[in-house]
Amino acid sequence: MRLRAMLRALRLIGPREALRAVGYTLFRDRLDFRLPPAGPFLPPGNLLVATPVPGGGRFRFAQGELEVRFLAPDLVRITWKGGPLPIPYAIARDDWPPVQVSWDPADGGYALGSEELEVVVGTDGGLLFRDAAGHILRRESPPRRRGQEWVHRADLRPEEHLYGLGERAAPLNLRGGEYCMWNSDPLGGYGPGVDPLYLGIPVYLGLHPEGSYLLFYENSYRAVFRFRDRAQAWFSGGCLRYYFIPGPPDRALRRYTELTGRPSLPPRWALGYHQSRWGYRTQEEVRSLREKFQAHDLPLSAIHLDIDYMDGFRVFTVDRERFPDLAGLARELADGGVHLVAILDPGVKRDKGYDLFREGLEAGHFCTLPGGKGAKRPLYAQVWPGWCAFPDFTDPAARSWWGDQYPRLLQLGIAGFWHDMNEPSVRTDWGDSTFPLPTRHALEGRGGDHREAHNLYGLLMNRAACEGLRRHCPEKRPFLLSRSGWAGLQRYAWNWTGDTESTWETLRQTVPTVLGLGLSGIPYTGPDIGGFSGHPSAELYIRWFQLAAFLPFFRTHSAWDVPPREPWTFGEPALSIVRNFLRLRYRLLPYLYTLAWETSRTGHPLVRPLFWPDGRDPAFWDVQDAFFLGEALLVAPALEEGARSRQVTLPAGRWYDFWDDTPYDGPGTVLIPAPLERIPLLVRAGSILPMEEDGRLALHLYPPEGGEGGGMLYSDAGDGYGPWRVDRFRLHRSGEALEMSWETEGDYPFPWPGVRVLGHGLRSRRIRLDGREYEPARMPVEAGPFRVLRLEG
Ligand code: GLC
């Protein structure tokens, strides 16, 4: 596998370039060479002194110091001192109101409790976490330390399931595996089992019969997590700081994203379809691409420009020969609602004639090599343009300088930016394809090296960009797409799952990968439809497209050396099927945009595992071939070659087939048709699904089995920060009648010329609209905004 990936990477970059990288690789090896630390791992020893402090306590051990601090009743921060404290790059909130914490002796140690959580500190440094009902959520052994390393262990129950750790090509439940935290470019094209990938996040969710919790290590050093009989985390440096949150997944994610930040509302167009390819080489090619989308009647929101648009791969430049009038092209496309997104890599070509390089060099914005008679020598490594220097995004001055470059492309009408190679990834012939570990970083003036800064590099590139865009284009919402990042990336950027192989296995992997990212706080992600590195069959492309139509980021992209992959290249019936799913995606935009708004307030992923929201039913802990999209939809993609039906594990309650209203009752497993032209898509009884149909708002009403139901719709201008409105629909069943009431909050005027209410699985003999008889007494009801719709039947 590895050899295949290497050969493929070689093909993508070319043998000459690979040969040139030998020197750098040897150089990196020389700098990275270190003797492994000797000696045993030592525990903290006995507890000597315990001191209560507001919101927590301090504990001195024979060889260690611990601080426990409640930031909220269900959020506690644990810090084992030793090694540098983390710079709070991941942290979005530090103004926590005081928490009342009780302090009691317990078994020779101390129990610290809030109304939701008790932390027991043992005399040996072992910790126990209990919820308000007294259930043990987690039992930790005393951490052990050797040199700068830490090993942290906790017991796992036999049934315990674990999820998250950022982007993983692993099963949804991570139990049983070993995962590395070191953002890496797997090179060439990856499939299931490859680890690490581009975007690791040291956060995980644990579910077991006694309850659930979320744990986040605020430590950016290389780490290895092993989830076997016990959960073990090994960190190569830093202090051991982590946060523990008890509670069900939905509440835990809400807290975690209060701590690390929530995504702001994206521009509405970003939720549409994006077309991309490495190899759209000229302005004409892009223009004709757009025309073909029109000719084939395929909606489109964005075209991505890969590295081909740049002048010699110099970042923030445009090749004037191949793109003589990029601004004109951008205007033309924007008139038809198509946005241009341009790729940017962090490497800045070493070229004295290139102003960006000169500026960066003179101002000292690049990462440097250690030592050398006090002289600051930039680190040079190779990426697409050859030798490059790399901005040190851990330096506020470099971030602000980098952020100031975006107007170069904003002026040309570029609407969004796609950040690649920011693990950071550079050309090597073996080993780690990144910077030498001793590379120096500013780390906000405190100073440090690449061991600490590596995993932060992508996060901070996006921060630099996001802050720059807010400064230079304050009237627009930034749209950033990033391959790498760390905890908190959700505040700045979307993500895609990188260079995947074009195989059925990798299609199947997409679902757990996206779910795992969502549970790690990254709600906006999606794959290269069809896989990056190969050529999918028409069937594989169709199935991938059908899945991605329900994922937050919806884009086709591929490498330059595979056949073109626009929807029409597969002929019929692929083209018609793709067109239908594209249209469905656009019909669903009111629902998706409302979910995006909710996510900006809750941090909840748009795409959720079937154990969502409370994680209590073990029957769903391993389901990784289906997911919820928001509360109303259950998506069960076809993931097997040749499959024309599939089993779906249904959660409790009634579910309606989206395509033909067939009702299914859960819990249980049902077989649902999945002909090539559709995938199982179910709507929860009691939902109101807002859709856009024929320029109108269509409210699809699925009656609740009993009692209540409802839905929501968020609207605004689609970009910028102007007025908004939220329309809330409630469903209430009383006897034979079903009432739908409508309330509105906010100042944005109702943006639709009319409303159509469609009933599913409903019969009514009498319809009353705001107290008046509605004729004919049949659905759909066509109206303007109303207050109460009453269906009697
Ligand atoms: C990386 C990206 C890929 C892009 C290519 C060229 O491999 O992951 O999406 O097309 O670089 O820029």
Side-chain angles (χ1 to χ4, degrees):
M1 275 314 270
R2 196 74 205 140
L3 183 67
R4 220 173 75 205
M6 277 173 69
L7 289 174
R8 179 144 175 87
L10 190 69
R11 178 168 153 73
L12 285 176
I13 66 171
R16 219 183 49 199
E17 303 302 322
L19 208 64
R20 282 216 211 128
V22 173
Y24 173 79
T25 316
L26 289 167
F27 169 73
R28 183 216 54 204
D29 276 358
R30 189 157 50 81
L31 286 183
D32 281 357
F33 180 74
R34 277 172 310 147
L35 285 173
F41 280 96
L42 294 174
N46 285 333
L47 177 61
L48 303 179
V49 187
T51 320
V53 298
R58 281 209 199 95
F59 302 85
R60 196 146 59 74
F61 292 81
Q63 288 121 213
E65 219 180 306
L66 164 72
E67 187 199 77
V68 177
R69 165 114 201 266
F70 281 77
L71 305 181
D74 61 346
L75 172 63
V76 66
R77 188 182 71 197
I78 309 288
T79 311
W80 284 97
K81 302 234 168 102
L85 273 172
I87 295 168
Y89 290 124
I91 305 299
R93 174 160 193 196
D94 57 9
D95 58 340
W96 302 91
V99 183
Q100 278 301 326
V101 175
S102 60
W103 172 274
D104 299 297
D107 304 332
Y110 293 88
L112 287 73
S114 72
E115 69 226 43
E116 303 212 24
L117 173 67
E118 183 182 68
V119 182
V120 181
V121 178
T123 48
D124 62 351
L127 263 55
L128 188 81
F129 298 83
R130 270 202 205 103
D131 69 10
H135 297 129
I136 295 178
L137 295 178
R138 182 172 160 100
R139 188 192 294 273
E140 291 174 352
S141 309
R144 289 180 305 144
R145 190 151 161 77
R146 177 177 71 179
Q148 298 176 17
E149 300 167 49
W150 290 99
V151 171
H152 195 216
R153 289 206 182 118
D155 293 348
L156 291 177
R157 289 167 208 264
E159 316 84 341
E160 194 154 345
H161 280 51
L162 302 164
Y163 308 89
L165 297 187
E167 181 187 37
R168 299 289 149 188
L172 179 62
N173 171 22
L174 301 174
R175 186 77 185 267
E178 186 172 303
Y179 312 93
C180 177
M181 221 40 85
W182 188 252
N183 290 341
S184 299
D185 179 351
L187 304 173
Y190 76 89
V194 171
D195 191 273
L197 293 174
Y198 317 93
L199 169 51
I201 306 180
V203 61
Y204 64 88
L205 174 75
L207 301 183
H208 57 69
E210 296 284 290
S212 48
Y213 61 86
L214 186 138
L215 191 91
F216 164 51
Y217 289 97
E218 192 189 356
N219 182 316
S220 62
Y221 284 79
R222 181 196 282 269
V224 176
F225 284 70
R226 188 181 293 155
F227 294 147
R228 303 250 159 89
D229 292 345
R230 320 182 74 197
Q232 174 174 303
W234 168 89
F235 288 93
S236 59
C239 82
L240 186 65
R241 168 171 280 186
Y242 57 101
Y243 300 80
F244 183 88
I245 305 173
D250 62 341
R251 279 191 47 201
L253 254 289
R254 204 182 250 267
R255 260 296 183 232
Y256 170 69
T257 55
E258 187 179 358
L259 178 70
T260 59
R262 304 214 166 111
S264 49
L265 193 61
R268 197 172 192 268
W269 62 262
L271 289 163
Y273 176 68
H274 303 234
Q275 177 67 40
S276 181
R277 173 179 172 74
W278 179 4
Y280 293 144
R281 284 184 47 81
T282 65
Q283 188 170 312
E284 264 326 298
E285 212 175 321
V286 173
R287 180 175 287 127
S288 96
L289 176 73
R290 156 74 194 308
E291 283 163 4
K292 284 189 196 132
F293 268 84
Q294 284 176 318
H296 289 289
D297 197 13
L298 300 166
L300 177 66
S301 290
I303 295 178
H304 288 224
L305 301 176
D306 205 323
I307 49 175
D308 318 277
Y309 79 91
M310 296 181 196
D311 173 16
F313 305 129
R314 288 171 188 81
V315 65
F316 293 112
T317 67
V318 175
D319 185 311
R320 298 282 168 192
E321 264 173 38
R322 287 182 288 107
F323 287 84
D325 184 17
L326 185 56
L329 175 71
R331 262 197 313 276
E332 220 177 277
L333 297 187
D335 284 346
V338 179
H339 300 79
L340 278 178
V341 174
I343 200 169
L344 294 170
D345 295 330
V348 176
K349 185 178 172 73
R350 185 169 74 182
D351 169 2
K352 285 272 164 64
Y354 173 28
D355 57 346
L356 196 69
F357 173 71
R358 270 198 326 265
E359 267 177 46
L361 194 66
E362 277 158 27
H365 291 321
F366 297 129
C367 300
T368 54
L369 289 166
K373 299 182 197 113
K376 282 197 165 179
R377 285 182 301 144
L379 160 78
Y380 295 112
Q382 292 176 48
V383 204
W384 312 118
W387 290 104
C388 290
F390 299 85
D392 181 4
F393 296 115
T394 70
D395 176 355
R399 281 201 296 275
S400 121
W401 168 72
W402 183 264
D404 286 343
Q405 308 310 316
Y406 288 75
R408 296 183 187 220
L409 295 174
L410 287 170
Q411 279 154 15
L412 300 175
I414 300 297
F417 300 91
W418 162 23
H419 292 158
D420 191 22
M421 307 296 277
N422 52 359
E423 292 70 31
S425 170
V426 301
R427 232 163 250 169
T428 53
D429 288 315
W430 60 85
D432 227 355
S433 55
T434 195
F435 301 171
L437 298 176
T439 302
R440 298 299 302 167
H441 291 271
L443 287 153
E444 308 307 294
R446 134 143 104 54
D449 64 27
H450 199 60
R451 291 171 312 151
E452 183 177 0
H454 176 82
N455 286 333
L456 299 167
Y457 196 80
L459 172 76
L460 296 175
M461 178 187 187
N462 287 290
R463 172 166 163 192
C466 199
E467 290 171 352
L469 291 173
R470 293 216 162 99
R471 269 196 315 278
H472 293 287
C473 198
E475 69 289 356
K476 290 251 164 74
R477 301 176 200 160
F479 175 72
L480 296 173
L481 172 69
S482 178
R483 197 169 71 173
S484 187
W486 199 61
L489 179 74
Q490 68 272 14
R491 305 207 291 275
Y492 312 122
W494 290 24
N495 163 260
W496 90 104
T497 57
D499 300 351
T500 45
E501 290 172 351
S502 305
T503 60
W504 286 90
E505 292 75 29
T506 310
L507 165 68
R508 285 191 280 278
Q509 180 63 58
T510 304
V511 181
T513 299
V514 168
L515 287 171
L517 276 159
L519 294 173
S520 310
I522 309 292
Y524 292 107
T525 184
D528 286 351
I529 297 174
F532 171 77
S533 69
H535 186 51
S537 65
E539 183 182 354
L540 180 55
Y541 183 69
I542 291 170
R543 293 317 201 181
W544 218 313
F545 202 94
Q546 290 170 326
L547 160 64
F550 299 97
L551 298 180
F553 181 49
F554 184 27
R555 181 183 77 160
T556 297
H557 177 63
S558 55
W560 63 267
D561 62 340
V562 300
R565 191 178 307 159
E566 292 76 36
W568 51 87
T569 55
F570 294 96
E572 289 293 357
L575 176 57
S576 301
I577 295 173
V578 160
R579 184 186 296 117
N580 284 340
F581 274 78
L582 272 173
R583 287 191 180 149
L584 176 56
R585 170 74 171 212
Y586 282 83
R587 280 166 63 202
L588 279 170
L589 274 189
Y591 178 67
L592 288 167
Y593 195 49
T594 304
L595 283 178
W597 172 73
E598 280 180 24
T599 298
S600 72
R601 299 165 60 103
T602 61
H604 289 167
L606 288 78
V607 166
R608 305 162 186 173
L610 292 199
F611 61 71
W612 190 269
D614 61 21
R616 267 194 307 213
D617 189 346
F620 299 100
W621 289 357
D622 287 303
V623 178
Q624 54 176 2
D625 62 356
F627 55 89
F628 293 131
L629 176 60
E631 257 181 65
L633 294 178
L634 192 164
V635 183
L639 301 167
E640 304 285 339
E641 187 167 14
R644 294 296 178 263
S645 66
R646 58 155 287 181
Q647 305 271 358
V648 182
T649 312
L650 282 186
R654 171 157 289 192
W655 296 87
Y656 288 96
D657 190 312
F658 176 85
W659 309 105
D660 62 13
D661 287 350
T662 307
Y664 296 95
D665 288 312
T669 301
V670 290
L671 186 72
I672 304 192
L676 195 57
E677 61 279 6
R678 62 188 211 213
I679 57 171
L681 176 61
L682 300 164
V683 190
R684 191 192 294 270
S687 306
I688 289 186
L689 190 61
M691 296 180 71
E692 173 172 354
E693 282 162 9
D694 311 324
R696 284 167 171 256
L697 175 65
L699 296 173
H700 289 265
L701 193 161
Y702 293 84
E705 287 172 285
E708 311 280 324
M712 220 162 38
L713 174 64
Y714 172 85
S715 323
D716 63 16
D719 203 345
Y721 302 92
W724 51 271
R725 68 183 281 135
V726 176
D727 292 289
R728 285 198 172 78
F729 312 106
R730 290 209 172 77
L731 284 174
H732 178 74
R733 205 189 253 293
S734 60
E736 286 295 283
L738 182 65
E739 228 173 58
M740 170 179 167
S741 58
W742 180 340
E743 275 165 28
T744 299
E745 185 194 343
D747 301 328
Y748 190 68
F750 189 64
W752 306 94
V755 187
R756 176 179 302 154
V757 185
L758 299 99
H760 298 267
L762 256 182
R763 253 172 305 140
S764 50
R765 270 185 253 121
R766 201 165 165 217
I767 299 181
R768 292 175 77 80
L769 191 66
D770 285 336
R772 280 203 295 275
E773 208 78 24
Y774 178 87
E775 292 289 348
R778 308 194 277 279
M779 304 292 247
V781 170
E782 306 273 354
F786 55 83
R787 282 201 312 282
V788 181
L789 174 70
R790 193 176 156 84
L791 308 168
E792 293 168 10

